[in-house]
């Protein structure tokens, strides 16, 4: 089912094959989308190049370096995207970071700089990216970001990242209201825990996954492909009436009482 045929969609945040962004890329590629990728710096370039080559897409792969802490980087990335494809129909924003030392111990010990970094990379980056992208989304489109239940509830060791995810979810609503008149929709997927590079930074992550698998309504964890397929829905016309929402893809963990 090529429901994304003719759509140019930017994927931000592939680090390796475990990345949720890669799960999204696979689902969108299978639905016929033309994909563009940004990665953070030269360190990840080879990794991302190899992964993207494995998709065997008809079009030449488009990979652009973009560190979202730099406005200049974001502007040059979208300049290049404009030159290469002219119009953008979607963005998957799969980026978050907090210093590892902030992801354990007491939340009240959060440093000023740790708080600022977590919010800059994990929440403000969506605002900066959408501002740069708006002109390219002239035919309207869909933007999807990734959040976690720790933005709604207190989760052990998630600490400042939970506050940043709460800010991100609020950004989704404000951006959806701001950009709705341009037919640009903005939604978040709240994914259950998945073992990725970013998840490794959270203390006792493995114990948390066992707890989730025990308690979730479906009695299991989720994987990248399930997030990818929900993103596919959010990028397609099937979700054309949905904006400003947070959709949980967590095997029903968040509906349970304990
Ligand atoms: P991941 O593979 O490590 O992806 C995180 C990505 O963010 C990496 O590509 C990373 O690049 C990038 N990034 C960090 N700082 C950046 C910057 N300044 N500029 C550009 N890119 C930057 O881990 P993931 O779990 O798939 O994370 C993707 C998203 O899903 C995050 O928003 C995360 O919070 C969210 N999420 C994850 C889970 C989970 O359990 N894994 C659950 C719910 C939501 P580098 O590797 O170079 O830092």
């Amino acid at each position: 089912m090529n429901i994304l045929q003719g759509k140019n969609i930017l994927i931000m945040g592939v680090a390796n094959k475990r990345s949720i962004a890669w799960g999204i890329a696979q689902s969108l590629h299978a639905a016929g989308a033309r994909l563009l990728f940004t990665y953070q710096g030269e360190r990840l370039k080879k990794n991302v190049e190899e992964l993207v080559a494995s998709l065997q897409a008809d079009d030449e792969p488009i990979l652009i370096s973009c560190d979202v802490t730099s406005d200049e980087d974001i502007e040059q990335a979208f300049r290049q995207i404009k030159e290469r494809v002219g119009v953008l129909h979607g963005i998957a924003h799969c980026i978050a970071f907090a210093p590892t030392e902030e992801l354990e111990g007491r939340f009240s010990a959060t440093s000023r700089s740790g708080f600022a970094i977590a919010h800059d990379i994990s929440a403000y980056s969506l605002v900066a990216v959408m501002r740069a992208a708006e002109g390219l989304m002239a035919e309207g489109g869909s933007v999807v970001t990734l959040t976690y239940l720790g933005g709604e509830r207190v989760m052990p060791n998630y600490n400042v990242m939970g506050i940043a995810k709460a800010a991100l979810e609020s950004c989704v609503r404000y951006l959806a209201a701001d950009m709705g008149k341009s037919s640009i929709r903005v939604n978040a997927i709240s994914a259950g825990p998945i073992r990725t590079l970013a998840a490794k930074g959270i203390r006792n992550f493995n114990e948390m996954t066992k707890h989730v698998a025990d308690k979730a309504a479906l009695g299991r964890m989720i994987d990248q492909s399930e997030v990818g397929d929900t993103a596919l829905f959010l990028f397609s016309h099937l979700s054309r009436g949905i904006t400003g929402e947070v959709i949980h893809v967590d095997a029903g963990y968040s509906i349970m009482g304990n």
Side-chain angles (χ1 to χ4, degrees), residues 13-15 19-20 40 43-44 66-69 94-97 121 146-148 158 165 191-194 196-199 205:
V14 174
S19 295
I20 299 178
Q40 186 196 188
R43 185 173 49 89
L44 285 180
C66 180
D67 179 340
V68 295
T69 59
C94 314
I95 289 173
F97 178 79
I121 298 179
L146 294 173
T147 185
Y148 176 59
Y158 204 58
K165 290 301 192 193
I194 299 176
T196 62
L197 208 57
F205 182 80

Side-chain angles (χ1 to χ4, degrees), residues 18-198:
R18 289 173 181 261
S19 295
I20 299 178
W22 185 240
I24 294 176
Q26 288 172 297
S27 290
L28 303 192
H29 171 69
R34 174 162 197 198
L35 301 180
L36 301 89
F37 295 85
T38 61
Y39 56 90
Q40 186 196 188
E42 292 305 304
R43 185 173 49 89
L44 285 180
K45 188 176 180 188
K46 198 162 177 286
N47 233 0
V48 182
E49 268 174 355
E50 282 172 9
L51 276 176
V52 172
S54 73
L55 287 177
Q56 299 185 316
D58 294 339
D59 301 304
E60 196 195 330
I62 300 179
L63 282 85
I64 297 164
S65 170
C66 180
D67 179 340
V68 295
T69 59
S70 157
D71 286 332
E72 224 169 79
D73 245 39
I74 294 173
E75 277 162 29
Q76 67 76 24
F78 282 93
R79 255 199 315 273
Q80 287 190 54
I81 292 167
K82 189 175 182 185
E83 281 163 19
R84 300 291 294 271
V85 293
V87 176
L88 203 56
H89 302 100
I91 302 173
H93 171 274
C94 314
I95 289 173
F97 178 79
T100 316
E101 64 272 19
E102 305 288 359
L103 300 173
E104 61 179 331
R106 299 188 69 194
F107 168 66
S108 55
T110 302
S111 69
R112 192 181 293 273
S113 70
F115 191 96
I117 291 168
H119 281 71
D120 185 18
I121 298 179
S122 316
Y124 180 73
S125 64
L126 179 69
V127 181
V129 160
M130 285 201 62
R131 190 168 54 240
E134 190 179 9
L136 270 83
M137 298 183 82
E139 298 175 4
S142 172
V143 175
V144 176
T145 188
L146 294 173
T147 185
Y148 176 59
L149 190 59
E152 300 169 58
R153 300 189 199 163
V154 176
M155 304 300 272
N157 299 317
Y158 204 58
N159 293 2
V160 70
M161 189 53 86
I163 321 303
K165 290 301 192 193
L168 177 71
E169 291 173 20
S170 192
C171 288
V172 163
R173 291 184 282 273
Y174 275 87
L175 287 166
D178 212 13
M179 306 230 168
K181 296 274 189 305
S182 310
S183 298
I184 299 172
R185 300 184 290 111
V186 191
N187 292 289
I189 294 174
S190 185
I194 299 176
R195 282 187 195 88
T196 62
L197 208 57

